[in-house]
Amino acid sequence: QLRTGAEAKALTACLAQHDNARAALRFAAQTADWELTARLGLASGRILHRLGQFQEAAQAFQTGLDALSDKNRENQSLRAALILERAN
């Protein structure tokens, strides 16, 4: 629902689940689930960026990138999406 008329409502719902998303990202990283970590980093970072939490968004994107570095060369499109989002 991002970038639509319902964006404010969607962001409020995401914010309510922010602690859960942060915990899921941490858990995925700790259990070495590299693809999940990257996907959660991308999703969390996008939401955080929309909420104006730029530093935490950058950290989420970087966590996703770190998960993919040298561990998984198969997810080039995911890596590219993380790099693009981090650059914004």
Side-chain angles (χ1 to χ4, degrees):
Q1 292 183 0
L2 294 176
R3 300 179 192 222
T4 68
E7 183 175 18
K9 185 177 179 181
L11 287 173
T12 299
C14 289
L15 186 57
Q17 296 300 319
H18 179 61
D19 288 339
N20 289 336
R22 187 184 298 129
L25 179 58
R26 243 187 341 265
F27 179 79
Q30 290 171 349
T31 59
D33 189 333
W34 307 119
E35 184 175 356
L36 181 59
T37 301
R39 291 186 184 285
L40 287 171
L42 181 60
S44 296
R46 284 177 172 165
I47 297 299
L48 290 165
H49 190 268
R50 297 296 255 209
L51 291 168
Q53 297 179 13
F54 304 117
Q55 185 174 2
E56 192 172 355
Q59 290 171 346
F61 295 137
Q62 190 61 51
T63 298
L65 280 169
D66 291 346
L68 293 179
S69 67
D70 297 330
K71 295 174 182 73
N72 189 339
R73 296 279 181 197
E74 298 171 13
N75 286 308
Q76 294 302 317
S77 62
L78 182 54
R79 183 188 312 276
L82 284 159
I83 291 169
L84 179 64
E85 292 290 345
R86 188 186 61 184
N88 290 328

